[in-house]
Amino acid sequence: MDVSGGSGQPRSGNDEPTEPATGPAAPSPHDSTARPLNPPRPSAAHQAPDPRDPDHDGSAPGRGDGTRPDGPHPTAHGTPPDTHPDRALAASGHGHGQPPPPPPRRPRGPGGGLLMGRPFGVPVYVAPSWFLVAALITWVFGGQLDRVLPELGAARYLVSLFFAVAFYGSVLVHELAHTVAALRFKLPVRRIQLQFLGGVSEIEKEAETPGREFVLAFVGPLLSLVLSGVFYLALQPVERGTVPGVLLASLMISNLIVAAFNLLPGLPLDGGRMLRAVVWKITGRPMSGTVAAAWVGRALAVSVLIGLPLLSQSGALGSTAEDSAGMSTVTDALLAAIVAAIIWTGAGNSLRMARLREHLPELRARTLTRRAVPVETTTSLAEALRRANAAGARALVVVDGHGEPLSLVRESAIAGVPEHRRPWVAASALAQDLTEGMRVSAELAGEDLLDVLRATPATEYLVVEDTGEIYGVLSAADVERAFVKAMARPS
């Protein structure tokens, strides 16, 4: 939990956005994220009735009955051991005309919430949890004002509400510091979100060097320290026992606490990002820095869980032994548990995000692509499947008379056409027209590949060489399986 916000990393949960640890993204890791794509649910294609079809009963032959023909799967990029070659390609689909399962999502931050503005072009949201925390701050701070300024009466709650808004304004400044630094390094920022116990800056890409990582993390606490100094200077000419004096002193102390807490050297705090950058610089491996900072973060979580209630009971935080009894003890223990859980979860998410990024380069369009055979628009599905299996291919590309690709035959739609109807159904009737975003370079890999797939959600993509020559077809389901397999291996 970065109580004041982001570093140069994506967050999920209450601190880490994006982007995931069981699947490619979005994140968003960076939240950024991310998942590789979000394919639409394809349906079996509709075909006009053909009077030559002996089984024509007035229904659409291309629709089928949703049954999956029998037959073994073809081996990848090889001729399947099937005496009925027209079955093999269909059997490699997801059966019953259903689309592939949705790809796993990257861990991402909570919902956007209420849009407050777009400073520097970055949307700023207030999460619903902020209103709960603002109400809590108003209630607690209002009770403290009753002892300091009893003459305020019920108006003390308006003053305390102003303090809650001003405090989160300081948090926003902290987040904007991260955002400006990220934009300065040409790192895209998805959004800023004010939420429970602070804020989040969702920076979608990782800093390229440990030096930039350190700067991205340090500017937030630095701005909080600067704000604390500004409030201290503004406090000097103000009388202490007045409303302005109490507000300025409270804002000075709160920003100082925010800066100090975020400088603790454990993920997901800004100090953890700084520690990660230092270890990265020493070892030359960002993963080593993440592991070290994440385990320090977990140690901090345990320390907060045990130490905060003990400090409160001892009076070290300014309370007496009488104040620390009863409900106050329960409240301190609950607060410690919440903060510790957020830190522990954020540290774990940081580890998963780092492992995701370490394995992303293993996703290469060229190695995941299926061999494809070109078929004309008038070619029947049965003939197209025969050609594909004879060539050891697992995909069909519909081309025009000059060999230019027009569309991709959907694998799930093939599985929805009964075998006895396939001679009467044109393969092109089951195809999805190619858009510009569905053409993928064979040289793409890692996050660049996922970014391209996310930009145009589909179930299949045409993979081409730099010369424009057809290389094959990339299935969204194949990308998902490769990603899950890579993530299952230890770093």
Side-chain angles (χ1 to χ4, degrees):
M1 171 209 70
D2 180 350
V3 293
S4 61
S7 64
Q9 298 285 349
R11 311 294 180 88
S12 71
N14 283 302
D15 184 69
E16 299 281 324
T18 90
E19 279 233 245
T22 58
S28 106
H30 239 278
D31 91 150
S32 286
T33 11
R35 56 181 186 242
L37 44 104
N38 186 17
R41 296 179 61 84
S43 60
H46 293 268
Q47 174 82 1
D50 190 328
R52 297 173 298 170
D53 185 354
D55 296 305
H56 171 57
D57 56 3
S59 63
R63 187 180 183 89
D65 58 4
T67 58
R68 176 172 175 167
D70 295 327
H73 289 264
T75 55
H77 303 283
T79 303
D82 193 344
T83 57
H84 300 281
D86 61 329
R87 300 177 182 176
L89 186 63
S92 68
H94 291 276
H96 305 286
Q98 297 297 319
R105 297 172 178 263
R106 276 183 163 185
R108 298 182 62 179
L114 181 64
L115 178 63
M116 301 301 295
R118 294 179 178 271
F120 306 103
V122 177
V124 176
Y125 294 93
V126 174
S129 61
W130 178 87
F131 296 96
L132 176 62
V133 176
L136 180 62
I137 292 175
T138 301
W139 177 261
V140 174
F141 191 65
Q144 295 175 347
L145 283 177
D146 190 34
R147 294 194 296 267
V148 179
L149 300 170
E151 67 275 10
L152 288 177
R156 67 183 183 274
Y157 291 110
L158 290 177
V159 176
S160 59
L161 177 60
F162 179 83
F163 168 76
V165 174
F167 170 71
Y168 270 89
S170 301
V171 172
L172 177 59
V173 172
H174 179 115
E175 296 306 322
L176 288 174
H178 291 302
T179 297
V180 171
L183 296 177
R184 175 67 178 81
F185 294 142
K186 302 188 185 305
L187 301 176
V189 182
R190 176 184 300 152
R191 64 179 179 177
I192 296 173
Q193 188 183 57
L194 301 180
Q195 53 180 249
F196 182 76
L197 290 184
V200 169
S201 297
E202 297 188 6
I203 301 172
E204 297 188 359
K205 291 185 179 295
E206 187 179 61
E208 297 177 353
T209 65
R212 291 187 174 186
E213 170 82 349
F214 189 93
V215 171
L216 280 172
F218 181 61
V219 290
L222 177 62
L223 257 293
S224 294
L225 287 173
V226 170
L227 283 177
S228 182
V230 169
F231 288 125
Y232 173 76
L233 294 177
L235 179 63
Q236 299 311 304
V238 177
E239 187 177 347
R240 298 298 192 270
T242 62
V243 170
V246 172
L247 285 175
L248 288 172
S250 300
L251 289 171
M252 177 192 70
I253 295 172
S254 61
N255 276 277
L256 187 61
I257 292 174
V258 166
F261 186 74
N262 275 281
L263 286 173
L264 293 176
L267 288 173
L269 303 175
D270 290 329
R273 307 292 180 191
M274 296 161 63
L275 175 61
R276 175 182 183 270
V278 171
V279 177
W280 177 4
K281 179 67 174 180
I282 294 173
T283 64
R285 296 187 69 246
M287 187 63 183
S288 298
T290 301
V291 171
W295 279 105
V296 173
R298 287 174 170 174
L300 283 175
V302 175
S303 300
V304 168
L305 180 63
I306 299 173
L308 186 58
L310 293 178
L311 287 174
S312 179
Q313 288 184 355
S314 67
L317 299 181
S319 60
T320 63
E322 291 79 7
D323 294 332
S324 301
M327 186 58 69
S328 295
T329 302
V330 175
T331 302
D332 292 338
L334 180 60
L335 178 62
I338 293 174
V339 174
I342 294 174
I343 295 177
W344 183 280
T345 302
N349 285 337
S350 297
L351 280 174
R352 286 188 290 272
M353 285 294 296
R355 188 170 68 172
L356 180 151
R357 293 196 169 277
E358 191 172 58
H359 289 307
L360 274 182
E362 300 176 22
L363 301 181
R364 298 183 176 276
R366 188 174 295 277
T367 58
L368 295 174
T369 296
R370 300 178 177 187
R371 287 185 57 189
V373 294
V375 295
E376 296 75 20
T377 56
T378 57
T379 304
S380 69
L381 178 59
E383 172 61 17
L385 292 175
R386 186 196 65 78
R387 294 182 190 177
N389 287 287
R394 297 181 60 198
L396 302 173
V397 179
V398 179
V399 298
D400 61 16
H402 302 287
E404 289 296 321
L406 299 175
S407 55
L408 301 179
V409 178
R410 295 171 298 172
E411 189 177 19
S412 58
I414 295 174
V417 180
E419 186 174 348
H420 66 278
R421 292 184 182 271
R422 292 175 183 173
W424 313 104
V425 177
S428 58
L430 309 178
Q432 180 180 5
D433 291 340
L434 280 171
T435 63
E436 186 61 30
M438 292 175 62
R439 295 173 184 263
V440 177
S441 170
E443 303 303 323
L444 286 177
E447 195 163 1
D448 292 337
L449 173 62
L450 300 187
D451 288 342
V452 170
L453 302 192
R454 281 197 300 267
T456 307
T459 53
E460 287 92 16
Y461 299 82
L462 178 69
V463 181
V464 296
E465 299 282 7
D466 292 340
T467 58
E469 181 183 357
I470 297 175
Y471 182 76
V473 172
L474 178 65
S475 168
D478 289 344
V479 176
E480 176 193 353
R481 282 190 290 268
F483 185 89
V484 172
K485 182 179 180 181
M487 286 294 294
R489 293 197 296 271
S491 299

